[in-house]
């Protein structure tokens, strides 16, 4: 019987835990050069007409020449090195293979039962990571991935002229995986920003980054698909390419044939952890919207509709009387949400949002997120074979902010959590009622070992069913609290010292 392989979407930053290791090395194969042939230059022998005898040189396939783009824009691509404390997770996907657990992780006790191969280190792990980025303004503003600088205590940027600078993280947004950092420098080379909407499937593209620490490595390919929806990446319509992207390429630019940046390389789909022909980039227009909010406000604000949707296939289209398999089928509506108040119902098929067609269910979240909270929006739906137009007033996505001073934000900052309510489907899947899903953990919560995806069930023994309820409990709490947390099927009380 062949062993099963696990297919995963992998962030492409390098991260290495600094521990006492007996030995180890990277093994990698040298990739052959990939040329994109001119379709008009290659003719099969079977279809080629007999040619007269000639002394002229035979026709050859011509590869796309990216050398001008590399020469012009390569100096604006930077190498990013980070140092920080290891993430507190039971088993890291970027560890040294020892399978050791962080003793500070409150869930480590649940993994001790699996045998002696999971050992507890005697000291905290220190993470060193590498990624890429690119300069978007001559005064030192740089775009990269949020997961490249996540948890970093020190960020170092190295330019192609070998100058090095300590960088300040201005802000990061995990939901879009975008971060903005700044270095103290002037008159820097910058990239030219393009329009991903004009990009066509099949176009040649170029990536520049630092795979495995090899700085300013250029790899080329084509656009394989657009508007790809990936697990846990609700707000990003990814650009899929076959450009070779490996650990360390994260945060690097994806160029079109004009030398314009159309995306930020972020993830790969792999069974091995290395490149296998499926790479995904965040469209640059998505990134620049996030960058503008991070620079101006230090955070990203998104709107909330309050529905769960699923893809419409041919069978569902016929069942709901649609002419084609398009739209977003509403599978549930959150009670009291903008969707509920606006009259959306389970079984509605959303066809347009503010006049924009919804071809796939993944189109809806990004359109909603781009609208300012408090804005009235129109939604065209198909209900019982009849077209209807509804108006909803969007609200801000309900999360506990990790920064701020007024309106209770001080108590929110004490906890250091970004949270949302579970959908009815999630509650049924997890087997609980109520609870809040952790979208992000910083400060005291991160130090206590709470992670994204954990479910907060109670604080000091009092069940929590809404963000507002938890906010009130935190505001009245003392310095130390106990959170009841569920991870997978395990529950544990986690002691927390509030900031």
């Amino acid at each position: 019987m062949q062993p099963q392989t696990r297919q995963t979407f992998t962030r492409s930053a390098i991260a290495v835990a600094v521990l006492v290791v007996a030995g180890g090395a990277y093994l990698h194969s040298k990739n052959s050069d990939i040329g994109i042939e001119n379709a008009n230059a290659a003719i099969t022998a079977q279809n080629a007409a007999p040619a007269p005898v000639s002394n002229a040189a035979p026709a050859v396939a011509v590869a796309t020449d990216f050398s001008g783009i590399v020469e012009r824009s390569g100096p604006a691509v930077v190498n990013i090195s980070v140092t920080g404390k290891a993430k507190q997770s039971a088993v890291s996907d970027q560890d040294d293979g020892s399978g050791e657990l962080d003793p500070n992780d409150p869930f480590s006790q649940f993994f001790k039962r699996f045998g002696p191969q999971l050992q507890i280190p005697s000291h905290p792990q220190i993470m060193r990571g590498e990624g890429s980025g690119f300069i978007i303004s001559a005064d030192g503003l740089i775009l990269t991935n949020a997961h490249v600088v996540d948890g970093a205590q020190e960020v170092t940027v190295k330019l192609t002229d070998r100058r090095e600078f300590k960088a300040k993280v201005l802000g990061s947004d995990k939901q879009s995986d975008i971060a903005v950092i700044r270095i103290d420098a002037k008159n820097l080379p910058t990239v030219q920003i393009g329009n991903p909407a004009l990009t066509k499937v099949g176009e040649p593209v170029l990536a520049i980054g630092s795979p495995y620490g090899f700085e300013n490595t250029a790899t080329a390919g084509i656009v394989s698909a657009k508007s790809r929806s990936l697990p846990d990446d609700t707000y990003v319509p990814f650009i899929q390419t076959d450009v070779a992207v490996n650990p360390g390429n994260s945060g690097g630019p994806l160029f079109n044939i004009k030398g314009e940046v159309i995306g930020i390389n972020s993830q790969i789909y792999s069974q091995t952890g290395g490149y296998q022909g499926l790479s995904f980039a965040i469209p640059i227009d998505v990134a620049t919207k996030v960058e503008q909010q991070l620079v101006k406000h230090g955070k990203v604000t998104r709107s909330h509709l309050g529905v769960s949707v699923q893809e419409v296939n041919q069978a569902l289209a016929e069942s709901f009387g649609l002419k084609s398999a398009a739209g977003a089928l509403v599978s549930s509506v959150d009670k009291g949400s903008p969707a509920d108040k606006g009259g959306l119902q389970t079984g509605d098929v959303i066809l347009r949002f503010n006049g924009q067609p919804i071809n796939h269910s993944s189109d809806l979240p990004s359109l909603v997120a781009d609208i300012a909270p408090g804005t009235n929006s129109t939604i065209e739906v198909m209900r019982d074979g009849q077209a209807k137009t509804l108006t909803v007033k969007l609200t801000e996505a309900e999360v506990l902010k990790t920064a701020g001073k007024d309106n209770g934000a001080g108590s929110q900052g004490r906890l250091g959590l970004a949270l949302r309510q579970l959908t009815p489907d999630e509650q049924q899947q997890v087997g609980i009622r109520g609870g809040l899903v952790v979208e992000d953990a910083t400060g005291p919560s991160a130090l206590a070992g709470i992670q994204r995806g954990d479910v907060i069930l109670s604080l000091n023994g009092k069940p929590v069913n809404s963000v507002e309820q938890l906010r009130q409990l935190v505001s009245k709490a003392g310095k130390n609290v106990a959170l009841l947390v569920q991870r997978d099927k395990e529950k544990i009380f986690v002691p927390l010292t509030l900031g």
Side-chain angles (χ1 to χ4, degrees), residues 69 72-74 76-77 134-137 143 189-196 253-263 284 288:
I69 299 174
R72 182 173 63 254
S73 300
V77 182
F134 53 97
I135 305 169
I136 59 173
S137 67
L143 276 182
T190 61
V191 298
Q192 183 179 355
I193 303 299
N195 183 0
L254 182 71
F255 295 94
N256 62 16
I257 195 63
K258 298 178 182 179
E260 302 167 331
V261 175
I262 59 170
I284 194 62
T288 52

Side-chain angles (χ1 to χ4, degrees), residues 97-254:
S98 66
E100 295 180 332
L101 300 179
D102 190 332
N104 295 320
D105 190 337
F107 285 83
S108 61
Q109 59 179 292
F110 292 117
F111 294 91
K112 292 178 182 177
R113 68 189 70 171
F114 292 110
Q117 71 272 19
L118 296 179
Q119 300 174 359
I120 304 300
S122 60
H123 54 81
Q125 298 181 13
I126 300 298
M127 297 296 293
R128 299 186 187 279
E130 289 194 27
S132 306
F134 53 97
I135 305 169
I136 59 173
S137 67
D139 60 353
L141 207 61
I142 296 171
L143 276 182
T144 186
N145 284 147
H147 74 264
V148 170
V149 298
D150 182 29
Q153 296 176 332
E154 184 177 87
V155 179
T156 302
V157 170
K158 184 177 180 180
L159 308 185
T160 56
D161 60 10
R162 299 186 180 181
R163 286 186 294 168
E164 295 187 9
F165 300 87
K166 297 301 181 185
K168 177 182 179 182
V169 179
L170 299 184
S172 65
D173 177 51
K174 287 189 176 181
Q175 289 181 308
S176 63
D177 196 21
I178 296 297
V180 183
I181 65 177
R182 184 185 288 280
I183 60 176
D184 186 12
K186 304 294 182 184
N187 301 319
L188 296 173
T190 61
V191 298
Q192 183 179 355
I193 303 299
N195 183 0
L198 302 179
T199 302
K200 297 180 180 179
V201 175
E203 285 189 7
V205 282
L206 169 76
I208 303 179
S210 303
Y212 295 105
F214 295 108
E215 300 169 8
N216 282 80
T217 296
T219 53
I222 65 168
V223 174
S224 304
K226 295 174 63 178
S227 298
R228 286 295 197 206
S229 178
L230 302 184
D232 300 325
D233 286 287
T234 309
Y235 299 101
V236 179
F238 285 93
I239 301 171
Q240 180 185 331
T241 75
D242 67 349
V243 176
V245 171
N246 281 291
N249 273 112
S250 277
L254 182 71

